[in-house]
């Protein structure tokens, strides 16, 4: 994949950049793959879980390692303080510093900014991993470990691309900047403000922004031109002053869990239709051009069904399924805090329960509007129950969707790079997940953005046995 990055960086400048020694660069990369794997092994070993404040020291160490890697390459590196994080207890702790780096400052060249992150999702062996999640394990050419694909190997791929030019004393065809964060998996806390504050300095000479925090859809290489946003909610129902024994108090109180389940059931129908008024009406219509793009994508529904382990999908054709995965909103219920979930039986009535759910949003939805629609809907549903319990609805994440112009020269360069290396046209795809910072880059910097995936369709991002193909 580093070959694609080499070729893409050349193409950004146009045909004159193609005179560079691509063969020599790719030979260098192939001969150093063991070194690249060992570096990834060192990075995966760091449990940089941004959701666990008890592991904040590990996350800080990961940011230090990232900065040191680029300092040793001679980059102009800065670790940027982005402020404090307030915990649910009210206590504040420092957010992990953002690493910026610059290689080259030739005013006669374009400047490309690479965004990535080195924090990861939680992982434990007992979650169902076949290997230790923080011990990179090579099995049949697949490198298993938490963060291998999301997003440590892609960050390293770009760093190693610059390193290859340096090692062979070949001028970079573009100036390269990096912005690497450590809070992407929890909403990129503090990064929006940093981008705004650095828009007239760090980003002032940037021409293009490239994000490689995404993956292919199938075995065919892909370029990504859109992601969904995410509105993440807590719905809290509080009742008795303390947990109660159902054998003593059951039937004498309205149980908070019953109320919570009742209102959650009003969010979405069994067929997948979102029942919150106004949500579906805000979605941008599917154009004929977009419908044709979906038709041309390589996607095997049977393989997809087998991969995720279900006997039936909600949609019967490729276009409909991909559209609902990428460009329509969805409701997902992720868990209930305060509910009994340990093995065995327990006859308890919890005094307070908190549901955690999200709505992936798409153009032309707006997080502020969605917050009001969901809050109003749940409060109306709760009022109908005439319960003495109390309901509190909070939106803790409001990330906007992102959509790019596939006709832009950046996407032309990406397509040509993929064709040169893989000898096939890339699929043009969107992502069902959220990369919050893409929309911020677009709105604040006004720069052109491309997502160039460095990850396979079967990499298992966020799940057990995450891997990156060697």
């Amino acid at each position: 994949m580093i070959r694609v990055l080499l070729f893409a960086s050349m193409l950004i400048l146009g045909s004159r950049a193609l005179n560079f020694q691509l063969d020599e660069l790719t030979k260098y990369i192939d001969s150093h793959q063991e070194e690249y794997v060992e570096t990834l092994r060192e990075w995966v070993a760091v449990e940089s879980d941004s959701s666990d404040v008890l592991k904040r020291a590990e996350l800080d160490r990961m940011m230090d390692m990232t900065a040191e890697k680029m300092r040793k390459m001679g980059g102009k590196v800065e670790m940027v303080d982005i402020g404090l994080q307030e915990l649910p207890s009210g206590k504040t702790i420092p957010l992990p510093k953002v690493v910026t780096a610059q290689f080259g400052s030739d005013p006669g060249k374009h400047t490309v900014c690479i965004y990535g992150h080195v924090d990861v999702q939680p992982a434990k062996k007992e979650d169902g991993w076949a290997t230790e999640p923080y011990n990179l394990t090579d099995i049949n050419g697949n490198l298993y470990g938490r963060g291998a694909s999301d997003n440590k190997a892609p960050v390293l791929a770009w760093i190693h691309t610059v390193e290859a030019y340096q090692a062979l004393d070949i001028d970079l065809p573009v100036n390269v900047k990096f912005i690497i964060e450590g809070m992407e998996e929890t909403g990129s806390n503090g990064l929006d403000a940093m981008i705004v504050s650095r828009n007239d300095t760090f980003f002032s000479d940037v021409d293009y922004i490239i994000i490689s925090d995404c993956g292919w859809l199938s075995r065919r290489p892909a370029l990504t031109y859109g992601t969904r946003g995410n509105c993440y909610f807590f719905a809290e129902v509080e009742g008795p002053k303390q947990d109660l024994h159902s054998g003593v108090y059951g039937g004498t109180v309205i149980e908070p869990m019953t109320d919570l389940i009742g209102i959650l059931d009003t969010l979405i129908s069994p067929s997948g239709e979102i029942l919150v008024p106004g949500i579906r009406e805000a979605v941008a219509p599917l154009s004929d051009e977009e419908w044709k793009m979906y038709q041309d994508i390589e996607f095997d529904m049977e393989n997809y069904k087998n991969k995720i382990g279900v006997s039936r999908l909600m949609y019967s054709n490729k276009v409909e399924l991909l559209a609902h995965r990428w460009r329509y909103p969805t409701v997902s219920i992720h868990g209930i805090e305060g509910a009994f979930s340990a093995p065995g039986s327990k006859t308890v009535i919890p005094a307070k329960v908190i549901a955690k759910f999200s709505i992936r949003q798409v153009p032309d939805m707006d997080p502020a509007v969605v917050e009001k629609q969901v809050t109003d809907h749940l409060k109306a549903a709760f009022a109908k129950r005439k319960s003495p319990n109390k309901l509190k609805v909070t939106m803790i994440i409001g990330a906007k969707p992102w959509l790019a112009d596939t006709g832009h020269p950046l996407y032309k360069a990406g397509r040509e790079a993929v064709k040169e290396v893989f000898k096939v046209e890339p699929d043009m795809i969107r992502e069902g997940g959220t990369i919050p910072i893409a929309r911020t880059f677009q709105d604040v910097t006004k720069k052109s953005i491309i997502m160039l995936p460095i990850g396979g369709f079967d990499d298992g991002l966020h799940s057990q046995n995450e891997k990156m193909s060697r």
Side-chain angles (χ1 to χ4, degrees), residues 121-170:
Q121 286 280 322
K124 295 179 181 177
K125 178 76 181 292
E126 55 265 33
D127 292 339
W129 282 73
T131 62
E132 290 293 339
Y134 295 104
N135 181 10
L136 192 72
T137 306
D138 191 338
I139 302 175
N140 298 325
N142 287 321
L143 305 167
Y144 290 90
R146 175 57 89 216
S149 187
D150 185 17
N151 184 232
K152 292 180 179 181
V155 168
L156 283 169
W158 280 105
I159 292 173
H160 291 146
T161 300
V162 173
E163 204 172 45
Y165 277 100
Q166 292 178 331
L168 295 172
D169 200 25
I170 299 174

Side-chain angles (χ1 to χ4, degrees), residues 51 87-89 232-239 243 256-258 260-261 264 333-342 346 348-357 392 394 396:
S51 70
L87 305 180
S89 65
Y232 199 106
F233 291 89
F234 286 175
E236 175 186 306
V237 178
E238 186 173 5
D243 290 359
M257 181 75 83
T258 303
L260 188 62
I261 297 298
L264 290 179
I333 298 172
H334 305 290
I336 298 178
E337 184 179 330
F340 174 61
S341 60
K346 186 177 180 181
V348 65
I349 299 172
K352 181 172 71 174
V353 285
I354 304 170
K356 302 176 182 185
F357 67 93
K392 179 183 176 182
T394 310
I396 62 164

Side-chain angles (χ1 to χ4, degrees), residues 7 9-21 106-111 171-175:
F7 204 75
S9 65
M10 294 175 178
L11 281 162
I12 288 168
L13 270 183
S15 60
R16 68 186 179 91
L18 300 181
N19 296 324
F20 283 87
Q21 301 170 43
D106 186 341
K109 295 178 180 179
H110 287 109
T111 298
D171 280 343
L172 285 164
V174 289
N175 303 313

